């Protein structure tokens, strides 16, 4: 376990450490550079049990990897956090301050000053095939942001959701062309569409260059639309009654004091329902992860692929008012992380521990969990 606080720029730094490790180039040097897969969920908490529904993900990635339990996001809000993940910069440096165009979310200024230098763009210019599927930045596809035809530089394959999280009735930019989806589960459910286009990419990509994939699911963000087969899962689950639940923060920050306590029964039901539905949507993410790993294995790529699993920020179900706001706090910022135990020894940096282990390329899974945005 790495007990070091990571800056929000942890992901590009970790990737850099991993990709630049001399030990990663096997003797003889004929082997390809490693592939990297980043799975990014939306608003997935870690401290309220957000990983519980992801049984297969835990078995296939976390249990074979290392969890970084002390990593934090730079901002507990979708767009600034995603901009940090992509650019490796803190919000005060990339200038994406909120989820609006005025706040630089997918704005022309972002497109000009940051987007050409995201780590996927840099990987692409160093010879990687790059694949994106899912939610990018909240304002992506807005008219003021160049619309759906804007494909950020450095992506070889681009399947990006127009604007914010949805599960049905949405538009994707498919390499710059708009495609509308309806509400028929078997062809339109977004988490499954992302799984399918990801498998297609693995089938049809070139085998001559390494690849980077970023799969950014809308789940478990609102509107929490579960796949039909999961609509009645977790029937008896309720939001955890932890020590913050339904407690008035009289002596706390003004934002915390906005919450009405005690909550009405309707509010409590709302929270319990939201909590359950969030978990239901994650079951489809778990299926996506399983399909992806099976396909990587079937294509003979698994042993040469780093897999990261994380979220843009956390979430809490302490009060419905606070749920609408981006509150600073452990529930919302915590960002634990994991990597393959065979290659990552506790207390060492990824590079040191990889170097310390000469088998190098059997390392598989770097596994990261995040909190809210
Ligand atoms: C948006 O980004 C540009 C370019 O970095 C910067 O000049 C501007 O101040 C930013 N806007 C906000 C609201 O921070
Ligand atoms: C987002 O940031 C911009 C620039 O600071 C500000 O004008 C706008 O009011 C903010 N919007 C929200 C919803 O916070
Ligand atoms: C999708 O759009 C149709 C037609 O506009 C509408 O009837 C339906 O309620 C929408 N479904 C969802 C899940 O938003
Ligand atoms: C949903 O899509 C499937 C596959 O294309 C099709 O067989 C089915 O008829 C569609 N269902 C509805 C309700 O349109
Ligand atoms: C995904 O692909 C599977 C297998 O081809 C198919 O059965 C399923 O309907 C597809 N799902 C979506 C949402 O396209
Ligand atoms: C709210 O729920 C509690 C516990 O279920 C119950 O005892 C109480 O009567 C309910 N209050 C109202 C106003 O429905």
């Amino acid at each position: 376990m790495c007990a070091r606080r990571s800056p929000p720029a942890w992901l590009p730094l970790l990737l850099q450490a991993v990709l630049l490790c001399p030990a990663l180039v096997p003797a003889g040097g004929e082997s390809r550079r490693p592939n990297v897969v980043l799975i990014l969920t939306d608003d997935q908490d870690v401290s309220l049990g957000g990983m519980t529904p992801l049984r297969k993900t835990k078995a296939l990635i976390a249990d074979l990897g290392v969890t970084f339990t002390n990593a934090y996001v730079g901002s507990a809000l979708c767009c600034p956090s995603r901009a940090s993940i992509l650019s490796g910069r803190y919000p005060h440096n990339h200038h994406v301050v909120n989820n609006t165009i005025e706040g630089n979310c997918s704005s022309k200024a972002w497109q000009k000053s940051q987007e050409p230098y995201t780590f996927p763009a840099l990987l692409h210019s160093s010879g990687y095939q790059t694949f994106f599927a899912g939610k990018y930045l909240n304002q992506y596809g807005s008219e003021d942001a160049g619309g759906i035809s804007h494909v950020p530089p450095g992506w070889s394959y681009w399947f990006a959701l127009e604007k914010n999280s949805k599960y049905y009735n949405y538009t994707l930019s498919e390499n710059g062309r708009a495609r509308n989806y309806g509400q028929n589960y078997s062809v339109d459910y977004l988490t499954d569409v992302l799984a399918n286009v990801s498998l297609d990419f693995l089938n049809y990509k070139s085998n001559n260059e390494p690849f980077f994939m970023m799969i950014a699911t809308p789940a478990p963000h609102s509107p929490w639309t579960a796949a039909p087969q999961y609509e009645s899962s977790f029937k008896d689950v309720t939001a955890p009654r932890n020590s913050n639940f339904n407690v008035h923060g009289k002596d706390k920050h003004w934002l915390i004091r906005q919450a009405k306590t005690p909550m009405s029964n309707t509010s409590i039901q709302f929270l319990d329902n939201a909590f359950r539905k969030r978990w239901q949507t994650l079951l489809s993410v778990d299926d996506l992860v399983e399909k992806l790993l099976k396909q990587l294995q079937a294509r003979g790529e698994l042993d040469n692929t780093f897999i990261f699993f994380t979220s843009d920020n956390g979430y809490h179900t302490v009060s419905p008012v606070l749920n609408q706001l981006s509150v600073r706090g452990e529930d919302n910022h915590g960002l634990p992380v994991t990597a393959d135990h065979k290659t990552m020894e506790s207390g060492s940096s990824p590079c040191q521990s990889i170097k310390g282990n000469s088998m190098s390329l059997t390392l598989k899974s770097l596994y990261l969990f995040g909190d809210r945005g």
Side-chain angles (χ1 to χ4, degrees):
M1 220 168 288
C2 293
R4 204 160 42 95
R5 293 234 161 185
S6 310
W10 54 267
L11 184 60
L13 286 179
L14 198 55
L15 273 173
Q16 206 174 40
V18 156
L19 296 174
L20 297 181
C21 276
L24 282 177
V25 181
E30 66 286 312
S31 188
R32 238 178 41 201
R33 287 177 292 170
N35 310 309
V36 179
V37 174
L38 169 62
I39 301 158
L40 183 72
T41 58
D42 193 346
D43 274 8
Q44 186 181 358
D45 72 275
V46 69
S47 50
L48 296 180
M51 278 310 292
T52 310
L54 295 174
R55 281 189 310 110
K56 295 183 282 194
T57 302
K58 278 197 286 194
L60 293 169
I61 305 180
D63 292 352
L64 306 173
V66 170
T67 299
F68 292 74
T69 53
N70 210 9
Y72 290 82
V73 291
S75 171
L77 190 63
C78 289
C79 207
S81 179
R82 285 162 184 263
S84 287
I85 290 170
L86 288 161
S87 68
R89 295 178 158 186
Y90 284 105
H92 62 256
N93 290 327
H94 61 51
H95 303 301
V96 178
V97 298
N98 60 33
N99 292 340
T100 70
I101 300 247
E102 301 72 52
N104 268 334
C105 180
S106 217
S107 67
K108 292 283 181 195
W110 153 269
Q111 288 171 14
K112 188 155 176 272
S113 65
Q114 308 294 328
E115 206 163 54
Y117 313 106
T118 62
F119 80 89
L122 301 180
L123 282 176
H124 186 250
S125 57
S126 89
Y128 272 70
Q129 304 170 78
T130 51
F131 168 91
F132 183 88
K135 172 175 165 182
Y136 181 59
L137 300 171
N138 301 45
Q139 299 296 334
Y140 173 76
S142 303
E143 221 142 275
D144 296 349
I148 286 286
S149 61
H150 171 71
V151 176
W155 295 98
S156 331
Y157 301 90
W158 181 252
F159 295 89
L161 176 66
E162 179 187 42
K163 304 195 183 157
N164 208 358
S165 290
K166 280 187 171 185
Y167 297 78
Y168 289 117
N169 289 347
Y170 55 88
T171 301
L172 291 189
S173 167
E174 301 190 347
N175 297 313
R177 281 190 315 275
R179 177 159 165 202
N180 299 320
Y181 288 78
Q183 54 161 355
N184 177 347
Y185 171 71
S186 61
V187 288
D188 298 317
Y189 190 64
L190 182 52
T191 310
D192 293 0
V193 167
L194 300 181
N196 284 5
V197 293
S198 302
L199 302 188
D200 287 347
F201 168 73
L202 289 174
N203 282 335
Y204 300 120
K205 68 175 178 58
S206 150
N207 287 325
N208 301 324
E209 300 92 33
F211 61 84
F212 168 74
M213 299 176 83
M214 179 165 176
I215 305 164
T217 69
H221 194 285
S222 62
W224 313 307
T225 315
Q229 67 273 30
Y230 297 135
E231 275 167 356
S232 54
S233 303
F234 307 119
K235 266 207 299 285
D236 302 325
V237 168
T238 59
R241 276 23 177 194
N242 63 14
S243 56
N244 294 334
F245 188 84
N246 209 1
V247 171
H248 201 294
K250 285 193 185 68
D251 54 343
K252 297 289 190 296
H253 188 278
W254 68 268
L255 205 49
I256 308 286
R257 295 199 306 269
Q258 305 312 302
K260 184 172 160 263
T261 39
M263 288 186 271
S264 67
N265 283 4
T266 320
S267 295
I268 292 178
Q269 271 165 22
F270 173 86
L271 287 180
D272 285 338
N273 186 46
F275 191 84
R276 246 184 324 268
K277 291 186 138 187
R278 284 164 51 78
W279 278 21
Q280 290 166 3
T281 66
L282 285 169
L283 292 173
S284 295
V285 175
D286 209 28
D287 292 341
L288 178 156
V289 169
E290 182 186 40
K291 287 178 208 159
L292 188 73
L293 267 73
K294 278 192 171 155
Q295 187 79 347
L296 283 166
Q297 185 154 39
R299 307 292 305 179
E301 302 278 9
L302 193 58
D303 284 351
N304 195 26
T305 303
F306 286 96
I307 301 163
F308 297 78
F309 186 101
T310 189
S311 177
D312 56 358
N313 45 232
Y315 200 75
H316 66 78
T317 43
V318 170
S319 112
V321 174
L322 298 182
N323 275 343
Q324 305 308 315
L325 306 166
S326 66
V327 182
R328 315 290 157 215
E330 192 82 10
D331 286 349
N332 295 334
H333 275 75
L335 190 82
V337 178
T338 316
D340 192 330
H341 71 279
K342 289 197 269 359
T343 55
M344 301 280 175
E345 288 154 21
S346 52
S348 56
S349 79
C351 207
Q352 285 165 334
S353 52
I354 290 167
K355 273 183 180 164
N357 185 327
S358 54
M359 39 77 69
S360 66
L361 283 184
T362 51
L363 51 89
K364 287 197 267 294
S365 339
L366 284 166
Y367 162 88
L368 329 170
F369 286 143
D371 268 25
R372 173 169 180 94

